[in-house]
Amino acid sequence: MPKFTVAIIGAGLGGLLFALTLQKFAPDVEFHIYESAAQLSEIGAGVNFQPRTWFIIRELGLDQELLQIAGNGERPNMAMVYRKADQKEGYTFHITRDDEAENWTFHRAELQKVFLNNLHAPERIHLGKRFVSYTQPDASTGQIEVQFQDGSTAVCDLLVGADGIKSGVRGAMYTHLEEQARNRGEEDKALLLKSCIPASFSGVVVYRALVKLDRTNGALHGSNLLMYCGKDKHVVAFPIAQGRLLNIASVVTNPALSGTIHEGPWRSRVSREELIEMHKGWEPAVEGILKVCVPVRLAMTTVAYVPTQDVDESGWSKWAIHAVNQLPTFVDGRVALLGDAAHAMTPHQGVGAGQGFEDAYVLGRLLGQPGVALGNIPVPLKMYDEIRRPVAQNVAARSLKSGQLHSFIAPELDAISPNLSASGNGPTKEQLGLVAEMIERVKDWRKGTTVEKDCQAAIQRLHEELGQTSLALDTETAVSSHV
Ligand SMILES: Cc1cc2nc3c(=O)[nH]c(=O)nc-3n(C[C@H](O)[C@H](O)[C@H](O)COP(=O)(O)OP(=O)(O)OC[C@H]3O[C@@H](n4cnc5c(N)ncnc54)[C@H](O)[C@@H]3O)c2cc1C
C-alpha cells in the first residue's frame, strides 16, 4: 500500500529524473507520469553536465551506463577554452583550471533512453495525456483531480509540474494564486502573480547543429569545450556521442530585446549560408567549421542515435531563448513545479537541466523521509521551495551574466573601461584578463558546494519542522482534551 500517490506532468529529462529518484529513495510513494507527446523523443542536441549534476547521476546508479555514451568517454576533464575569435587572428585568452574542468557531455536522446530503460514500471508512463488543469481541495488530504485535453482525468495526492518552459501547471497554479490575491483585494500582488505565467524572451537567439566530428578536419582547438567569443555573439562547441559528433551552437544576444514579446516561432530553421554570413571576419577556425560542417540528420537505432546521412536539408535550428520570470514560490499546497517549469533559464552556464535534476533529487529525497505522510505533504514541499528556489534563481541570474560576458556586452565591463560594453570592438588583449576573472567569478557558486549538502540541509529542516508540527498537534490535542 503506497503512502501516497504522485502525478508527474511531463516526461522530459526533469520529470524522468524525478521518477527515478522516487523509485530509489521513496519506494513507498506511487508515481504516474503523464506526457502530452504520443511518443517520447528528446529534441535539441547536446547537453553538458557538471559535478553537482554528476553526483546525482552517481547516486541513482546511472554513471557507468552513461559513461558509455559520454562525449568524452571516461575522461571527465574537459577544459573550457575561451578565445577572442571575432577577428582574423584569434587567440586564447583563458583556459579553465584542470581541477575545475570536470564536464560530461551527452546527446539528449541517448540520455533520455537510459533514463527510460532504468524505470522499472514503464506502464506508469501515460503518453498522449496533455495536462489542462487541476482542482485541489482545500482540505489537506482530499485527492487532487487532474484534467487532460482528451477529457480524461486522474487523481493524485501530490501534483508535480515538470512540463517545461510553457508549463500548464505553472499557468494553473499562478492563475489560482492570482485569484486568491485579487479576492483579498491585493491588486498589485495579483498583477505580479499573473506576470509569472508566461516565459519572457531573453533577447538571446541560439543557432544549433550536430555535425560529424571528422568533418571538422582538425579545424578546432582540440577536443575541449570551446568558447569562441566575439562582440554580441559567441560560438560554443563540444564533442558528444563518444566523440563521433560535435555539438555546435552560435549564441547571438540583443539585450535591447530582453523582456520583450518575441515575434514569430520560438523554433525555426536557417541555412548554413546565413550562419556563415553572421560570422564573416571571424577567425579561420570558426569560419572553417561553419563552412565544412553540415548538420547531420539523426536516427535512433537500438543502441544509439547515429548520423544517417551527411546533410540535414532543413539546415540549422534557430531557438529564441525564453526564460521563466523569478517566481515567488515553486509550490502551492500539494502542487509543485520542477525543472524548466519552475526556472527555465538562458543556457550560458550549461546547467539548466542540471538545476532541474537538483530539484528532482532534493524533492524525491524529502518525500522518501520517514515521517512524511499523506497528512503532511505541504511540509516537505515547503522545504523543497526554501532550499531549491534561491539556488536555482541565483544560477539563472548568473547564467544570464555569463552570456553577457562571453559576448562582451555585460555592463560590468564598463568598470574595466568606460562604455566598453557598448563599444564596437570588445575588450583588448590587455583587458581580456579581467574579463576572464569575471567569467570565473560568475561561475563560482559551484565551488565548495554540493547537492548533498543542500539535500541534507533540507532534510534536517524537514525533521525539525515535522517535529514541531507533531509537537504542535500534540499540544493542540492535549488542549482540546482538557476543554
Ligand atoms: C540551447 C540550449 C542549450 C542547453 N544546454 C544545456 C546544457 O548543456 N546543460 C544543461 O544542464 N542544460 C542545458 N539546457 C537546458 C535544458 O535543456 C533544460 O533545462 C531541460 O531540458 C529542461 O528539462 P525539463 O524536463 O524541465 O523540461 P522539458 O525538457 O521541456 O520537458 C517537459 C516535458 O513536458 C511535456 N509537456 C509539456 N506540456 C505538457 C502538458 N501540458 N501536459 C503533459 N506534458 C507536457 C513535454 O512534451 C516534455 O516532454 C539548454 C537549453 C537550451 C535551450
Side-chain angles (χ1 to χ4, degrees):
M1 180 76 179
K3 64 180 182 182
F4 52 81
T5 56
V6 182
I8 305 169
I9 307 297
L13 294 178
L16 290 177
L17 196 112
F18 180 50
L20 289 166
T21 307
L22 288 177
Q23 180 175 278
K24 175 155 185 190
F25 291 103
D28 49 357
V29 170
E30 181 177 321
F31 64 83
H32 287 264
I33 307 178
Y34 300 92
E35 163 61 46
S36 58
Q39 63 179 40
L40 289 177
S41 58
E42 256 290 333
I43 51 166
V47 67
N48 161 41
F49 290 168
Q50 293 158 18
R52 280 180 68 107
T53 311
W54 194 248
F55 168 84
I56 297 170
I57 296 295
R58 269 207 328 260
E59 286 299 291
L60 293 174
L62 301 173
D63 50 331
Q64 291 310 314
E65 210 173 329
L66 285 190
L67 284 176
Q68 306 300 312
I69 55 163
N72 40 344
E74 292 183 13
R75 177 181 71 101
N77 279 46
M78 250 205 287
M80 176 78 96
V81 176
Y82 294 83
R83 290 183 61 83
K84 173 85 163 67
D86 57 344
Q87 56 197 59
K88 274 289 161 222
E89 283 187 27
Y91 56 90
T92 297
F93 68 89
H94 180 52
I95 301 179
T96 45
R97 276 182 24 206
D98 234 26
D99 57 341
E100 289 168 6
E102 279 193 313
N103 284 285
W104 293 259
T105 57
F106 298 96
H107 189 299
R108 282 163 188 269
E110 292 186 338
L111 202 57
Q112 188 189 41
K113 191 162 182 275
V114 170
F115 286 6
L116 281 169
N117 286 348
N118 278 278
L119 274 179
H120 300 155
E123 70 280 4
R124 290 195 193 166
I125 304 182
H126 310 274
L127 298 176
K129 291 286 169 197
R130 175 166 288 280
F131 166 91
V132 179
S133 62
Y134 66 83
T135 317
Q136 180 175 196
D138 290 335
S140 62
T141 52
Q143 287 204 299
I144 298 170
E145 187 182 272
V146 184
Q147 289 97 31
F148 298 103
Q149 199 175 43
D150 62 5
S152 62
T153 56
V155 288
C156 61
D157 302 310
L158 164 60
L159 174 64
V160 174
D163 50 344
I165 187 162
K166 295 181 181 172
S167 172
V169 180
R170 184 178 71 246
M173 178 192 283
Y174 272 82
T175 302
H176 175 237
L177 292 172
E178 178 201 347
E179 277 167 12
Q180 282 183 327
R182 194 151 281 133
N183 291 341
R184 290 193 302 268
E186 297 172 2
E187 190 56 29
D188 287 352
K189 192 166 180 192
L191 286 175
L192 180 86
L193 292 164
K194 190 177 180 187
S195 73
C196 294
I197 297 173
S200 305
F201 181 44
S202 63
V204 177
V205 174
V206 177
Y207 300 82
R208 309 173 83 184
L210 287 179
V211 297
K212 277 187 180 174
L213 201 61
D214 56 15
R215 295 292 300 258
T216 59
N217 296 331
L220 292 160
H221 295 86
S223 74
N224 292 303
L225 276 159
L226 297 159
M227 183 73 75
Y228 293 99
C229 301
K231 186 70 188 166
D232 301 329
K233 51 178 95 70
H234 57 274
V235 175
V236 192
F238 55 83
I240 60 168
Q242 292 169 306
R244 282 177 292 121
L245 297 171
L246 179 76
N247 179 75
I248 180 161
S250 168
V251 183
V252 181
T253 304
N254 182 349
L257 294 181
S258 169
T260 61
I261 304 283
H262 175 74
E263 302 297 346
W266 286 20
R267 285 182 206 146
S268 53
R269 289 274 166 182
V270 296
S271 68
R272 180 163 55 125
E273 286 63 39
E274 202 173 314
L275 261 288
I276 293 170
E277 185 58 33
M278 276 165 46
H279 298 86
K280 231 179 180 154
W282 281 51
E283 67 170 315
V286 175
E287 281 201 316
I289 303 165
L290 297 177
K291 278 186 185 146
V292 298
C293 295
V294 283
V296 290
R297 198 182 292 282
L298 301 169
M300 192 69 169
T301 71
T302 44
V303 268
Y305 265 65
V306 289
T308 51
Q309 58 185 62
D310 273 352
V311 185
D312 183 346
E313 300 293 350
S314 57
W316 289 58
S317 61
K318 176 181 176 182
W319 296 47
I321 302 295
H322 285 67
V324 169
N325 298 333
Q326 294 229 324
L327 303 181
T329 179
F330 288 176
V331 306
D332 177 33
R334 284 179 286 131
V335 183
L337 301 172
L338 172 160
D340 273 16
H343 48 64
M345 59 187 74
T346 55
H348 310 301
Q349 287 203 4
V351 288
Q355 283 302 296
F357 288 6
E358 292 191 22
D359 296 342
Y361 182 73
V362 172
L363 182 56
R365 291 280 308 270
L366 283 167
L367 295 176
Q369 291 303 304
V372 171
L374 178 60
N376 60 22
I377 293 173
V379 183
L381 293 196
K382 180 170 171 255
M383 300 307 128
Y384 163 69
D385 183 54
E386 281 182 14
I387 292 286
R388 281 299 307 144
R389 193 160 45 83
V391 176
Q393 292 180 341
N394 176 33
V395 174
R398 284 166 175 259
S399 185
L400 185 69
K401 186 58 62 196
S402 289
Q404 293 175 349
L405 287 166
H406 300 159
S407 294
F408 307 142
I409 50 172
E412 287 79 356
L413 294 179
D414 297 348
I416 300 175
S417 171
N419 299 322
L420 184 53
S421 62
S423 74
N425 301 322
T428 62
K429 207 169 196 167
E430 292 67 41
Q431 292 166 337
L432 280 170
L434 296 170
V435 177
E437 279 176 25
M438 289 183 181
I439 287 174
E440 287 306 317
R441 218 175 301 137
V442 171
K443 292 191 290 181
D444 67 7
W445 61 274
R446 295 179 275 207
K447 277 189 199 152
T449 67
T450 64
V451 190
E452 191 54 23
K453 267 192 207 162
D454 290 358
C455 198
Q456 288 307 330
I459 289 172
Q460 184 170 344
R461 279 199 215 173
L462 171 79
H463 287 304
E464 284 164 12
E465 187 95 4
L466 283 179
Q468 280 167 10
T469 308
S470 348
L471 197 66
L473 284 177
D474 287 351
T475 319
E476 241 170 60
T477 319
V479 170
S480 50
S481 64
H482 274 94
V483 177

